Amino acid sequence: MALSLGWKAPRNGCGLLLQAMRSSGLLLFPCGRCPWRGAGSFLDPEIKAFLEENTEITSSGSLTPEIQLRLLTPRCKFWWERADLWPHSDPYWAIYWPGGQALSRYLLDNPDVVRGKSVLDLGSGCGATAIAAKMSGASRILANDIDPIAGMAITLNCELNRLNPFPILIQNILNLEQDKWDLVVLGDMFYDENLADSLHQWLKKCFWTYRTRVLIGDPGRPQFSGHSIQHHLHKVVEYSLLEPTRQENSGLTTSTVWDFQP
Amino acid sequence: MAELRALVAVKRVIDYAVKIRVKPDKTGVVTDGVKHSMNPFCEIAVEEAVRLKEKKLVKEVIAVSCGPAQCQETIRTALAMGADRGIHVEVPPAEAERLGPLQVAQVLAKLAEKEKVDLVLLGKQAIDDDCNQTGQMTAGFLDWPQGTFASQVTLEGDKLKVEREIDGGLETLRLKLPAVVTTDLRLNEPRYATLPNIMKAKKKKIEVIKPGDLGVDLTSKLSVISVEDPPQRTAGVKVETTEDLVAKLKEIGRI
């Protein structure tokens, strides 16, 4: 299956890569030594221009001022514009969700957690947590999101933080065969009961098959606090959210990193 | 100070700009494939609740809607405008057609008690049935004071000052909380749900419950006999002079 081949692909296997991209879902593998230089070449120039025009580079107001991200801010046209004029799918990637913020902060403050390890960022969105993992010395990273535009945003965000873009998988990873990861991180992914159920099952399998460490970041969403996964969670650390994040996420004041141990 | 909690009821109706078509069998109007949106007066109610929250006078705004699955879209709009969480009282489509103010008022009254809210806000009427009854009936079931057709709402300690638009002009009432308020056109101008808020609303919780969970029986004592178009307007007659007008009026026996 093209997916597992993806990030282990041999450097001269670019023909294989093209085939993989064409057949299975969008598998972006920015390959440093390929004729294609970095991930920038994989970005549709029109969408890249759209992203650059309609997002703002920001690093303030979040728990991780060290990470620059292209996000929707009050200085962007679509902050105020009629929502039905947005020409793409729902831009979850355009917000730095509080659950992801806590995870990113934790990884930046505790590089031992990721140094030399393989990390999967499930539901990567803006890619902040994957970027934090890279900054802290993870040896292999895969950012996963079902939205191809998120994939492009993640690539741009890597460049912003002067990182070589890492592999990005644009498919619903819950439907694919599991790979061995040292660490799986999920930022703010438990806001929907059905999704939470699927994730819970998938994570249990990951844990029991590969002894993967699973870290979840969540700001205390009722859908998460009331889910049965709570029985298997150990609190790692709780951060107080900054005022801009609090205002944007009414009612939420802190965000916590949880260790999943079924 | 802001320990007050507000329940806002929102109704999903055919969009105000749509041309209504009566079904050939006269049992109702065509709704399939027709654009629906939040009742404009309900939007005003949500806006008022959110403004109270922004002024830190209300701590939590709960949006509720009764009806089939599509109601959740309307609740999401309320969440995107700033409500904190939603409650969808799920009613199957066939039964939903027979939902009227009496049934909804019973649901709202039970919910207001269950959620221990201090304020129930609704639009004064829905643009599909124009009943203008739900708010009043809800207040009746709860035995709470009501301020209907509100054009201004001000919190004064544990009382609510409500300015109402009535036939004779403006009436000002002071209501003891908890209370029911229904909103009129001039109360406020509702905000657009913008993209960032719509995104954030996707992660807010909507609880789904059944009317039975609240102990409410939805049986209606009303049945619709027929729905028809208003009679076509017939052409008028143009006259040239006042004399002609008087002659014409005499002719048709009007004078």
Side-chain angles (χ1 to χ4, degrees):
Chain A
M1 228 253 89
L3 138 70
S4 4
L5 236 79
W7 60 262
K8 292 186 210 134
R11 269 128 219 147
N12 54 359
C14 290
L16 207 76
L17 169 65
L18 240 192
Q19 216 177 49
M21 277 178 69
R22 284 205 203 107
S23 57
S24 65
L26 245 179
L27 174 55
L28 305 176
F29 180 23
C31 175
R33 300 187 202 180
C34 280
W36 300 285
R37 278 180 309 102
S41 355
F42 292 97
L43 286 177
D44 181 314
E46 244 179 70
I47 300 191
K48 181 178 182 206
F50 177 85
L51 288 179
E52 287 174 346
E53 195 181 304
N54 289 292
T55 59
E56 192 190 2
I57 299 174
T58 177
S59 60
S60 61
S62 77
L63 288 176
T64 57
E66 305 96 313
I67 302 178
Q68 306 253 48
L69 298 165
R70 281 201 164 275
L71 302 170
L72 258 186
T73 72
R75 271 168 296 281
C76 301
K77 172 177 152 198
F78 275 99
W79 186 268
W80 308 102
E81 183 64 271
R82 276 176 44 189
D84 54 1
L85 297 177
W86 179 260
H88 300 291
S89 50
D90 295 327
Y92 286 91
W93 52 264
I95 295 174
Y96 192 6
W97 300 96
Q101 286 189 38
L103 267 177
S104 307
R105 182 73 262 151
Y106 179 67
L107 294 188
L108 287 179
D109 290 343
N110 300 276
D112 298 336
V113 174
V114 294
R115 190 176 293 124
K117 302 226 167 95
S118 61
V119 181
L120 166 66
D121 184 5
L122 213 168
S124 195
C126 60
T129 307
I131 288 172
K134 184 82 180 180
M135 284 174 166
S136 287
S139 59
R140 279 181 203 150
I141 298 186
L142 181 65
N144 167 245
D145 200 290
I146 55 171
D147 183 0
I149 310 249
M152 299 189 200
I154 295 169
T155 306
L156 287 179
N157 289 333
C158 283
E159 288 173 9
L160 276 180
N161 293 286
R162 286 182 285 277
L163 295 173
N164 278 328
F166 34 72
I168 301 169
L169 173 64
I170 308 294
Q171 269 194 71
N172 186 344
I173 204 170
L174 302 183
N175 299 334
L176 303 173
E177 234 180 83
Q178 283 186 337
D179 251 346
K180 178 175 173 22
W181 299 99
D182 293 322
L183 172 67
V184 174
V185 289
L186 301 98
D188 224 314
M189 289 293 287
F190 290 81
Y191 53 89
D192 173 87
E193 266 96 3
N194 291 332
L195 179 57
D197 287 341
S198 307
L199 286 171
H200 190 188
Q201 298 314 312
W202 195 89
L203 292 170
K204 270 200 282 200
K205 199 166 156 221
C206 225
F207 181 89
W208 290 117
T209 316
Y210 299 111
R211 283 289 161 198
T212 304
R213 186 162 188 212
V214 175
L215 291 176
I216 294 169
D218 190 277
R221 299 197 184 275
Q223 307 87 303
F224 179 65
S225 311
H227 195 269
S228 56
I229 198 173
Q230 287 289 323
H231 301 308
H232 306 298
L233 295 180
H234 295 254
K235 186 166 170 176
V236 176
V237 64
E238 186 173 357
Y239 298 104
S240 192
L241 293 170
L242 294 195
E243 193 53 43
T245 310
R246 288 181 184 216
Q247 278 185 18
E248 289 298 310
N249 292 270
S250 57
L252 304 174
T253 53
T254 67
S255 193
T256 306
V257 176
W258 301 90
D259 201 326
F260 175 61
Q261 287 160 22
Chain B
M1 187 231 159
E3 288 311 309
L4 297 183
R5 293 167 64 246
L7 183 72
V8 186
V10 296
K11 187 178 183 188
R12 179 175 179 265
V13 298
I14 296 179
D15 187 82
Y16 75 90
V18 168
K19 181 163 166 37
I20 306 291
R21 274 198 303 274
V22 175
K23 287 202 274 205
D25 63 3
K26 296 192 181 179
T27 55
V29 301
V30 177
T31 53
D32 281 345
V34 169
K35 180 173 184 211
H36 284 66
S37 42
M38 190 189 293
N39 181 42
F41 294 106
C42 299
E43 286 182 341
I44 296 174
V46 174
E47 176 64 30
E48 197 61 22
V50 172
R51 287 189 190 188
L52 287 170
K53 191 177 133 192
E54 286 170 344
K55 289 183 203 153
K56 305 224 187 293
L57 300 171
V58 158
K59 193 172 87 159
E60 187 186 30
V61 176
I62 308 167
V64 57
S65 192
C66 302
Q70 299 94 316
C71 282
Q72 293 205 11
E73 289 161 19
T74 315
I75 300 173
R76 283 277 171 221
T77 305
L79 294 175
M81 286 171 71
D84 297 293
R85 60 184 169 95
I87 300 177
H88 172 207
V89 181
E90 191 168 28
V91 177
E95 273 183 69
E97 285 186 12
R98 294 191 294 271
L99 263 185
L102 188 64
Q103 292 73 31
V104 175
Q106 287 178 75
V107 167
L108 294 181
K110 283 277 166 29
L111 269 177
E113 282 168 341
K114 178 170 180 256
E115 298 289 337
K116 297 191 181 39
V117 299
D118 308 282
L119 180 59
V120 177
L121 280 154
L122 307 91
K124 70 172 180 182
Q125 67 198 58
I127 61 171
D128 51 7
D129 55 25
D130 280 333
C131 282
N132 193 330
Q133 298 166 9
T134 311
Q136 294 88 331
M137 287 179 173
T138 307
F141 281 125
L142 287 166
D143 197 25
W144 286 6
Q146 58 184 272
T148 53
F149 318 113
S151 60
Q152 199 167 85
V153 172
T154 322
L155 190 62
E156 294 180 346
D158 63 341
K159 300 212 178 43
L160 208 61
K161 190 174 93 172
V162 177
E163 215 173 79
R164 314 175 55 220
E165 297 194 354
I166 58 173
D167 290 345
L170 285 179
E171 178 185 65
T172 307
L173 297 177
R174 203 169 263 114
L175 313 173
K176 269 196 214 158
L177 290 173
V180 175
V181 171
T182 75
T183 64
D184 209 332
L185 203 58
R186 275 159 284 278
L187 177 58
N188 62 49
E189 203 178 309
R191 65 195 65 192
Y192 277 124
T194 57
L195 192 56
N197 289 318
I198 290 176
M199 296 311 306
K200 275 166 237 145
K202 292 193 189 274
K203 298 203 175 185
K204 291 184 183 173
K205 183 177 170 86
I206 297 181
E207 189 190 344
V208 182
I209 60 178
K210 295 203 166 26
D213 301 338
L214 297 168
V216 172
D217 175 13
L218 293 185
T219 349
S220 173
K221 297 195 178 113
L222 301 175
S223 60
V224 172
I225 298 175
S226 109
V227 177
E228 295 171 26
D229 277 303
Q232 292 278 36
R233 204 179 149 184
T234 49
V237 174
K238 199 168 163 195
V239 293
E240 296 294 319
T241 67
T242 325
E243 286 77 19
D244 286 344
L245 176 60
V246 172
K248 256 293 183 256
L249 286 171
K250 279 189 179 154
E251 197 182 296
I252 58 174
R254 290 300 212 171
I255 50 173

